[in-house]
Amino acid sequence: MKIVICGAGQVGTNIAKHLASENNDVVMLDQSAERIQKISDTLDVQGITGLAAYPSALEAAGLREANMLIAVTYSDEVNMIACQIAHSIFNVPTKIARVRNQDYLLPTWGNLFSHEHIPIDVIISPEREIARAIGRRLELPGTLEALTMANGKIKILGIRCNKTTPIIHTPLHHLTSMFAKLLIVIIGIIRDNKTVLPKIDEQLLPGDEVYFVCDSKQLSDVLASFGNKEPEPRNIIVAGGGNIGLTIAEEIDHKHSATSTKVIECNNYRAGYIAQSLKNATVINGNVLDPEIMEEANISQGETFVAVSNEDEVNILSSVLAKRFGCKRTISLTNSSTYTPLAAQIGIDTLVNPSAITVSRILQHVRQGHIHQIYSIREDFGEVIEAEITETSILVGHSLKNNPLPSGITISAIVRGEKVILATSDAIICSHDRVIAFTDYRAVKKIKKFFSVGHNFF
């Protein structure tokens, strides 16, 4: 597939990295000759320097022969114009655009992005996606990841083990007998910032980040088995009143009216706007790194501190300060993966990477075929995929434990109607089953081919 990506920033570069590794024909278009040179030197993609709003630049990038346009420049307007040109001049079948300004996404303008007006097939709003991701973690305190698949029947969770986790130093094959009634499958472990694929004699150690699949109906019991019995927080402090912070506060305002929410925003005008937008939240105008502002927010009584300002360093430092002031749990937004291995050491419970979330959402629409959902878990870990088994799939008739999938790809669960069957059983795979599969990044290229339309694997 030929794909033109407009915008060679962090998101565009990461998308190009994924797609180029899967043997797609990828062309990057960006105004910065320096960024294009760097990408051309490090990735197997073609780089073109130019403005994505110019038809001549898009033509030079090969858009006339492209199957898909992904517009992720820093300008919403350039992304929209690029999609309009792709539709009107080059007849590109699929157009994906990142749109950050929330004004464009208001329900009032619901028909703005349509083939009759601005023809964008898929709109990605990073702010909304990030707010949802943080919201899921707030609902399940202590989780590093919290995903829902198969229409709510399956949960994908990530938890960091510590010295008090009940199941540490226990071989994984013993967990089945210890928790015979729980439907849980561990899909991967990150230990010392390296991926460990679980084997039957593997043990969980303090500091491990463990990712697993479970039946949503057993969520409370599964979390309890990991020693996680925390209730949803009732006292939340949000640091940063940008689009992400405001969206998080609005969600809490609407869905959890009994929760006390405080928003700290340094810009006086923005703080006033947030105060008018929220019914139940308290808005504090000041610098979150100022100890007096922390005390005014009563941070010592806070259950969860959420740092979502526009600066990584402010988010990291304010989270560390919040912990020192006595806040129980911290969630910090960071665009750089540099801080990931340091998070636990400096007292940050959960890091949220906006680039990874945006890339994951875009890749979900790029990977065509029988895939219903796809989610990337960390840049260097792997992907969880929900897909449908077709009648011609060679998996039909094989058991969950013994199937012809290549190395690096494992089926963790199947959903058949209302029934959830995890890979601890000898259940036979049937056509029309929904499968939840995990693939490490070395096998992503293989799974894309297996899930493609016309291939008889799935």
Side-chain angles (χ1 to χ4, degrees), residues 134-141 155 230-233 255-256:
I134 292 175
R136 292 193 297 267
R137 290 161 174 81
L138 289 173
E139 291 175 357
L140 296 171
K155 289 286 187 183
E230 295 184 45
E232 285 189 40
K255 296 181 180 179
H256 308 280

Side-chain angles (χ1 to χ4, degrees), residues 19-290:
L19 297 180
S21 70
E22 298 166 19
N23 293 335
N24 291 290
D25 181 5
V26 179
V27 181
M28 292 287 296
L29 175 63
D30 193 275
Q31 277 187 290
S32 170
E34 183 181 354
R35 280 200 292 262
I36 288 297
Q37 185 62 52
K38 182 179 179 181
I39 287 171
S40 300
D41 291 343
T42 56
L43 299 178
D44 185 18
V45 303
Q46 180 186 357
I48 301 291
T49 303
L51 179 62
Y54 292 167
S56 58
L58 292 167
E59 184 171 45
L63 196 60
R64 196 176 295 277
E65 296 81 33
N67 306 100
M68 180 179 294
L69 172 75
I70 301 175
V72 287
T73 74
Y74 292 113
S75 168
D76 289 350
E77 291 73 24
V78 169
N79 295 339
M80 294 178 202
I81 292 171
C83 289
Q84 182 69 67
I85 294 170
H87 175 80
S88 302
I89 299 178
F90 300 111
N91 198 29
V92 177
T94 305
K95 300 159 289 292
I96 300 174
R98 177 173 64 180
V99 178
R100 304 188 68 172
N101 193 313
Q102 299 302 295
D103 192 65
Y104 291 119
L105 306 176
L106 293 174
T108 308
W109 326 123
N111 65 345
L112 177 61
F113 300 106
S114 63
H115 280 265
E116 294 76 24
H117 298 102
I118 302 177
I120 302 176
D121 300 294
V122 179
I123 293 174
I124 304 296
S125 170
E127 284 76 11
R128 290 186 178 182
E129 296 298 334
I130 295 161
R132 290 189 189 109
I134 292 175
R136 292 193 297 267
R137 290 161 174 81
L138 289 173
E139 291 175 357
L140 296 171
T143 57
L144 304 171
E145 295 281 357
L147 311 172
T148 300
M149 288 189 164
N151 297 321
K153 298 180 181 67
I154 294 286
K155 289 286 187 183
I156 316 294
L157 299 178
I159 287 180
R160 183 181 289 113
C161 296
N162 55 45
K163 293 180 180 179
T164 63
T165 301
I167 59 175
I168 60 170
H169 304 304
T170 303
L172 296 185
H173 66 275
H174 287 173
L175 297 182
T176 303
S177 56
M178 289 174 61
F179 305 104
K181 295 183 179 181
L182 293 185
L183 299 178
I184 177 173
V185 174
I186 294 176
I187 59 177
I189 302 164
I190 295 178
R191 178 177 297 153
D192 298 327
N193 213 36
K194 295 180 181 178
T195 300
V196 177
L197 295 180
K199 299 178 181 179
I200 59 172
D201 57 347
E202 186 63 64
Q203 299 182 23
L204 298 180
L205 304 177
D208 283 355
E209 295 180 15
V210 55
Y211 295 86
F212 56 89
V213 177
C214 70
D215 187 334
S216 294
K217 295 178 181 178
Q218 299 181 330
L219 185 58
S220 296
D221 292 335
V222 170
L223 289 174
S225 70
F226 280 86
N228 190 325
K229 300 178 181 179
E230 295 184 45
E232 285 189 40
R234 292 290 177 237
N235 191 334
I236 300 172
I237 297 96
V238 179
N243 288 332
I244 297 172
L246 178 57
T247 303
I248 293 170
E250 286 176 336
E251 286 290 306
I252 297 170
D253 219 20
H254 294 155
K255 296 181 180 179
H256 308 280
S257 57
T259 299
S260 170
T261 308
K262 299 182 183 72
V263 179
I264 302 174
E265 168 56 39
C266 61
N267 182 277
N268 184 55
Y269 175 81
R270 180 67 179 178
Y273 173 79
I274 295 169
Q276 292 178 346
S277 303
L278 301 174
K279 294 180 180 179
N280 303 314
T282 300
V283 180
I284 301 172
N285 179 212
N287 187 342
V288 70
L289 298 179
D290 185 341

